[in-house]
Amino acid sequence: MDKLLVVNLFVLVLCSIGRVNSSAYDKIVTHSRIRARKEGPNVCALQQVMGTSKKYFSTCRNWHKGSICGKKAVVLYECCPGYMKIEGMKGCPAAAPIDDVYGTLGLVKATATQQYTNESQLRGDIEGPTSVTLFAPSNDAWDLLDPNEKLKLAENENQELYNTLLFHTVNQRLVTKDMKNGLVVPTMSEDHNLYINHYGNGVVTVNCARIIYGNQVATNGAVHVIDRVIRPVSGTIKDILEENENLSSFATAASAADLLDKLGEAGHYTLFVPTDEAFDKLPSGYLERIIENNAVITALVKYHLLNSVQCAEAIMAGSVYETEEGSSIEIGCDGDFLTVNGIKMVLKKDIVTSNGVIHLIDQVLFPDSAKEITELMGESQSYFRDYFSEMDFASAMRPNLEYTLLAPLNGVFTEEVSSIAKSELKLLLENHILKVKVSLSELYTGQQLETLSGKFLRAFIYRTAVCLENACMVRGSKEGKNGALHLVGSLVKTSDKTLYKVLKDEGQFKIFLSLMEAAGLYDMLKEEGAYTIFAPTDDAFKELTSEDLTLLKSDVTALKNILLYHISNGIFISGGLERGVTNMLKTMQGLNLPVKFVNNSVNVNSVDVPDTDLMATNGVVHVVKNVLYPPGLPVGREDLWVLLQKLIKYIKIKFVSGYSYSEIQSIASNVKSTEVKYKEVVKAEPSQTKITRYVEKEPTVSKVVRVIDRQPINKVTRVLSGTGAGRKVSEGLTVTGETNGTLAFEPQIIEGPDVSKILSIRDNPSLLKEETSRLTQLIKGGGQFSAASEAQVGTRRRLVRPLRKRPSMSPFENN
């Protein structure tokens, strides 16, 4: 185990070496030297593709895979550039002798190039007092030339050979650290340049020829061995497209997309060009049709274009590149074949131009943005694609409109789903087609999207998931020319039932519903809102007797605390839970409810949730077989503590004598606060005395006042006067605060006895005295006032509306 750790740490250090000022090529050689450290000094480890002569200073990725371009590679140990062996000594302890460029060609075993420089009389140019860099084709590179090309090089007394070698020569010393990516250097051949690319994997190319042995310094320059004979570059990518008759279809498409001129400008591009034969494989008239659609033809052309030069010899494994269209393609290799998106489609590679490189391909590449949404479905959604075709959903989708498909993965279509009647399944699958194109970035919680069937799906956004109703997206979203495709991990299920109806129809929540009713929470299950309920089944209460249930219902405060611990504001479905962590849901009781997703199942407070995501119009139900209780919350009544011990066994509940549960004032965050309007009350002479109806045996007489709407004030004065006992009284009410949507008033005696209303009962003074005393006590107690009456005007002024309850009335109302 310790050895494995050491090896892993060594690999990590090895693959992160090179933060000093050196090139990628220098770093990869340094890595190779470290890998071969056991072989002696200055030995480098290389990989050679089996069955070929190709050798690479490989990357960590290729080293661990043991392959190059998907082909098995063997490890070789050779002297690092610039060093040589000494007989009888380990490794490569000697530095190679330094010579002029001509002599150095022999040292690096580029003997064919050395011979040709002699035959073409270039030798004098690379031996003399000058500084040059020669990119020397290896012996194998010369052998790859067609025999007719070799004969042509010998024409005119080797003048063609001289020009060719001159094109491989630069009139300055260049080593790899000087060869920046995109560097253009003039050659000793008039009016011709070399185009150098330096890649992050350590590969350096010159006109797409790879340096296989670099940095052999000479007395008058440097030598780099390359893997092919390179040709002069003339023209841009645009020039190649216009001059090659077999590329006319793509040239036409590029022109229609207004991109042909761009391909004639300076830049660093890679273009995968489908041949005319590739376009001929498309349905008849396809190119003509899409040329009329500027967005589609532009997307198609740009999907073939990269804003970087990717030479074939720099590709050692599959890598993803962003196209000019915005989406990505994978460029890889399979032996000597270059692949695009895993397919061997490249007919000819590395046509070098002054502004990039062209690879000819035998297929037209289609980005998602140029496809119909039905074409975006892949093999992982093939079942849904088959149902889509079989049920002819396409005929219901109007042309020239955009849609969104929610495509379930194949694993969703179980035997149970397949057994559903075709008519029912069709209705269910219609929920997976939205009448609008919507991307993931456009979705937000609370959004409602109409389906093909006319139903609406709610969107829920979580930390690590985006969901519609009970179905959450998985990776693989795509956008086509007429819509979007999102993959979902379950069938989308809508509901036209409230939480109450869901719980009632399930038939296993009778006790839970009765407790909700006893706690005064029944209505919240029926009204609009967004709740998550962990609903205990009737089995969760099987240990309780009818007397126990009666006791539980008798303490409403305790019952509310327990029930509201099962309920959270907001809709949280199982797919929205973040994996690997505890998700804390704030309950309406006030404490957090820990929820986890473990082994493909949900548990809450360490209690399993056997069934999840029962969707309702106002929330979602998750089924639990245990009653939940906040850990650490004590019980202050012994009889209730004994009851809860019978009911809740997964935790130990503490008993703290005298402890009382907190009163829970508000149970729904979606209830809007009642707007309280303040009115200024102005004194007025009474026109008559009127007795209002008797309430709770505390009769009073309302004094007639004139009420005028004004701006809110901090003090309300109500003046009451009458003739019943020949007294005049008034009462001042000062606003002292606002709590939970209600107003608290502090009574203050302004004038006369402490009464609020005078009874007009002329024949019974003793009764008047008794009622006056009773009303005085009421006012002294303060409290909450919900409404004031106006006898003559007949207008009710509401001051307070307790949440979810019918507003309380003052002791008397106007008849």
Side-chain angles (χ1 to χ4, degrees):
M1 189 67 179
D2 291 340
K3 289 183 178 180
L4 180 60
L5 179 60
V6 171
V7 170
N8 289 335
L9 288 173
F10 173 75
V11 170
L12 180 62
V13 172
L14 176 64
C15 293
S16 59
I17 285 177
R19 295 180 181 175
V20 295
N21 186 20
S22 59
S23 71
Y25 178 87
D26 298 327
K27 293 175 186 177
I28 204 72
V29 172
T30 300
H31 292 175
S32 297
R33 183 192 295 269
I34 295 173
R35 290 187 182 109
R37 68 197 182 285
K38 292 183 180 179
E39 303 298 320
N42 306 315
V43 177
C44 283
L46 291 88
Q47 285 181 289
Q48 181 175 6
V49 180
M50 291 185 66
T52 73
S53 59
K54 286 189 172 185
K55 293 184 286 188
Y56 296 84
F57 297 108
S58 67
T59 64
C60 286
R61 178 180 178 184
N62 295 107
W63 183 265
H64 290 300
K65 284 188 173 182
S67 64
I68 303 288
C69 284
K71 303 299 180 183
K72 186 172 178 57
V74 296
V75 177
L76 301 178
Y77 295 101
E78 296 182 354
C79 289
C80 295
Y83 296 91
M84 57 187 298
K85 290 181 175 294
I86 295 179
E87 188 176 353
M89 297 185 69
K90 187 176 182 180
C92 304
I98 190 167
D99 203 343
D100 59 33
V101 169
Y102 177 80
T104 302
L105 290 172
L107 291 174
V108 296
K109 300 180 182 179
T111 54
T113 299
Q114 189 180 47
Q115 176 188 340
Y116 292 145
T117 58
N118 194 34
E119 292 177 3
S120 65
Q121 300 182 8
L122 181 66
R123 178 175 178 175
D125 295 330
I126 61 176
E127 275 186 323
T130 184
S131 180
V132 298
T133 298
L134 180 59
F135 295 96
S138 67
N139 292 348
D140 290 339
W142 289 105
D143 291 339
L144 291 173
L145 284 180
D146 184 90
N148 292 327
E149 288 189 81
K150 285 186 177 181
L151 288 175
K152 187 177 181 180
L153 292 176
E155 292 177 357
N156 300 323
E157 297 181 346
N158 290 321
Q159 183 62 42
E160 287 295 324
L161 182 59
Y162 175 82
N163 291 337
T164 297
L165 289 172
L166 210 60
F167 176 64
H168 288 72
T169 311
V170 176
N171 199 13
Q172 59 177 305
R173 179 188 288 112
L174 285 175
V175 292
T176 51
K177 71 179 181 63
D178 303 317
M179 299 180 192
K180 307 302 181 184
N181 188 46
L183 179 67
V184 179
V185 291
T187 70
M188 292 177 64
S189 177
E190 188 177 354
D191 298 329
H192 290 298
N193 296 323
L194 292 179
Y195 298 88
I196 295 173
N197 289 97
H198 199 143
Y199 298 93
N201 60 5
V203 172
V204 181
T205 61
V206 182
N207 287 23
C208 284
R210 178 170 65 91
I211 293 178
I212 58 177
Y213 190 98
N215 294 337
Q216 190 66 45
V217 178
T219 57
N220 61 341
V223 173
H224 306 280
V225 181
I226 58 178
D227 69 347
R228 75 183 68 167
V229 178
I230 54 180
R231 295 297 188 186
V233 173
S234 60
T236 64
I237 293 176
K238 177 184 177 182
D239 295 331
I240 299 295
L241 291 177
E242 292 180 331
E243 293 169 5
N244 192 323
E245 294 182 355
N246 194 34
L247 305 179
S248 61
S249 295
F250 188 83
T252 301
S255 179
D258 295 327
L259 287 172
L260 192 58
D261 289 341
K262 176 180 180 178
L263 298 176
E265 300 170 355
H268 302 275
Y269 302 114
T270 298
L271 185 64
F272 294 91
V273 182
T275 62
D276 287 349
E277 288 79 4
F279 279 96
D280 290 341
K281 297 176 184 178
L282 300 178
S284 178
Y286 178 83
L287 181 58
E288 290 75 11
R289 290 195 302 274
I290 64 171
I291 280 179
E292 301 299 322
N293 189 326
N294 183 260
V296 174
I297 194 66
T298 300
L300 185 142
V301 172
K302 285 187 173 182
Y303 189 60
H304 292 77
L305 182 65
L306 308 181
N307 197 19
S308 62
V309 177
Q310 300 300 328
C311 296
E313 281 302 313
I315 307 296
M316 298 169 63
S319 297
V320 175
Y321 299 87
E322 185 176 351
T323 69
E324 282 290 279
E325 182 265 340
S327 53
S328 299
I329 61 173
E330 181 181 356
I331 306 174
C333 51
D334 186 353
D336 288 332
F337 294 96
L338 194 64
T339 62
V340 180
N341 291 338
I343 302 172
K344 296 179 183 179
M345 62 172 68
V346 179
L347 300 171
K348 186 176 182 180
K349 53 191 178 183
D350 293 342
I351 301 174
V352 181
T353 70
S354 61
N355 61 345
V357 63
I358 292 174
H359 305 295
L360 301 185
I361 56 178
D362 64 2
Q363 295 183 32
V364 180
L365 304 176
F366 288 93
D368 293 339
S369 57
K371 296 178 182 178
E372 299 281 342
I373 51 173
T374 53
E375 298 176 296
L376 299 179
M377 288 184 278
E379 287 306 309
S380 66
Q381 311 103 56
S382 60
Y383 288 5
F384 178 70
R385 183 178 59 201
D386 293 343
Y387 279 119
F388 190 94
S389 176
E390 179 185 343
M391 296 178 178
D392 196 23
F393 286 128
S395 63
M397 299 167 63
R398 296 172 59 187
N400 303 321
L401 293 182
E402 294 183 324
Y403 294 86
T404 298
L405 297 184
L406 307 174
L409 300 177
N410 289 344
V412 171
F413 293 93
T414 60
E415 291 185 8
E416 181 182 357
V417 173
S418 302
S419 64
I420 297 175
K422 186 175 179 180
S423 58
E424 293 181 19
L425 185 58
K426 184 175 182 179
L427 289 174
L428 181 61
L429 293 181
E430 282 180 346
N431 293 336
H432 297 74
I433 306 172
L434 306 179
K435 289 183 177 180
V436 64
K437 177 182 178 181
V438 59
S439 64
L440 289 182
S441 61
E442 295 173 311
L443 292 170
Y444 57 89
T445 296
Q447 187 176 12
Q448 295 199 16
L449 302 166
E450 188 178 6
T451 70
L452 195 63
S453 64
K455 295 183 178 180
F456 286 86
L457 306 183
R458 295 163 296 181
F460 307 116
I461 309 301
Y462 305 104
R463 282 171 53 89
T464 57
V466 176
C467 311
L468 291 174
E469 292 297 328
N470 62 299
C472 295
M473 316 295 184
V474 298
R475 289 185 179 180
S477 293
K478 301 176 182 178
E479 293 190 34
K481 66 180 182 181
N482 68 329
L485 173 81
H486 302 304
L487 310 187
V488 292
S490 57
L491 289 176
V492 179
K493 296 179 181 179
T494 60
S495 176
D496 56 1
K497 299 179 180 181
T498 63
L499 288 166
Y500 167 76
K501 188 67 172 169
V502 169
L503 292 167
K504 187 173 185 296
D505 289 353
E506 283 289 318
Q508 57 178 337
F509 304 105
K510 297 182 181 67
I511 298 177
F512 177 71
L513 287 172
S514 70
L515 294 175
M516 290 288 287
E517 184 175 19
L521 304 175
Y522 211 47
D523 289 343
M524 70 176 292
L525 302 175
K526 302 177 181 180
E527 58 194 22
E528 290 185 6
Y531 305 108
T532 298
I533 298 181
F534 293 89
T537 63
D538 291 340
D539 285 343
F541 301 92
K542 63 184 178 181
E543 298 293 330
L544 299 189
T545 65
S546 58
E547 290 78 9
D548 291 333
L549 289 172
T550 301
L551 172 62
L552 187 58
K553 293 177 181 179
S554 67
D555 191 336
V556 175
T557 301
L559 185 57
K560 275 188 177 181
N561 271 271
I562 295 170
L563 293 177
L564 292 180
Y565 186 65
H566 294 73
I567 305 173
S568 178
N569 258 319
I571 297 176
F572 300 94
I573 62 174
S574 60
L577 298 174
E578 185 174 348
R579 272 55 170 170
V581 299
T582 298
N583 299 261
M584 304 301 287
L585 305 187
K586 185 173 178 61
T587 69
M588 297 178 71
Q589 184 267 348
L591 296 176
N592 290 329
L593 192 65
V595 185
K596 290 184 179 180
F597 196 93
V598 180
N599 298 326
N600 294 320
S601 63
V602 178
N603 68 51
V604 53
N605 271 13
S606 302
V607 173
D608 287 336
V609 179
D611 197 5
T612 62
D613 302 336
L614 305 182
M615 304 305 294
T617 57
N618 56 345
V620 63
V621 174
H622 304 300
V623 180
V624 289
K625 292 186 176 181
N626 299 79
V627 175
L628 306 177
Y629 192 83
L633 186 67
V635 179
R637 283 175 45 192
E638 190 169 357
D639 55 349
L640 183 59
W641 178 57
V642 172
L643 184 153
L644 292 178
Q645 284 183 309
K646 291 170 59 177
L647 183 62
I648 301 164
K649 297 182 179 178
Y650 70 94
I651 60 171
K652 188 174 182 180
I653 302 174
K654 294 186 295 184
F655 174 72
V656 177
S657 181
Y659 174 83
S660 59
Y661 292 102
S662 301
E663 291 284 348
I664 299 175
Q665 299 295 330
S666 175
I667 61 169
S669 63
N670 65 319
V671 177
K672 296 180 180 178
S673 298
T674 303
E675 181 182 1
V676 178
K677 294 183 178 179
Y678 298 91
K679 298 178 185 291
E680 183 181 359
V681 182
V682 182
K683 297 179 180 179
E685 292 298 325
S687 60
Q688 66 178 14
T689 301
K690 187 173 183 180
I691 301 176
T692 60
R693 69 183 174 89
Y694 188 84
V695 179
E696 296 182 359
K697 299 180 180 181
E698 295 181 5
T700 61
V701 178
S702 298
K703 171 67 179 67
V704 178
V705 295
R706 180 161 57 91
V707 182
I708 300 175
D709 287 342
R710 294 287 177 86
Q711 294 297 319
I713 58 175
N714 290 328
K715 185 171 182 179
V716 180
T717 301
R718 181 169 66 220
V719 179
L720 304 172
S721 62
T723 59
R727 301 183 185 181
K728 182 177 181 181
V729 298
S730 63
E731 176 195 2
L733 302 176
T734 303
V735 180
T736 60
E738 184 171 350
T739 307
N740 295 330
T742 64
L743 295 175
F745 294 92
E746 179 182 344
Q748 180 180 357
I749 302 301
I750 303 298
E751 179 182 0
D754 189 10
V755 296
S756 62
K757 295 180 190 263
I758 305 299
L759 289 172
S760 179
I761 305 176
R762 300 174 180 174
D763 299 328
N764 196 342
S766 62
L767 178 60
L768 174 61
K769 182 178 180 180
E770 177 183 344
E771 296 302 328
T772 299
S773 175
R774 183 181 303 173
L775 291 173
T776 299
Q777 293 301 318
L778 174 63
I779 294 173
K780 285 183 177 180
Q784 299 174 352
F785 289 78
S786 60
S789 302
E790 301 173 54
Q792 288 186 332
V793 180
T795 301
R796 177 182 301 160
R797 176 165 59 91
R798 178 173 298 170
L799 293 178
V800 179
R801 182 187 176 187
L803 293 178
R804 299 190 179 278
K805 291 184 179 181
R806 183 177 181 274
S808 60
M809 305 301 296
S810 58
F812 288 83
E813 292 183 344
N814 294 330
N815 290 330

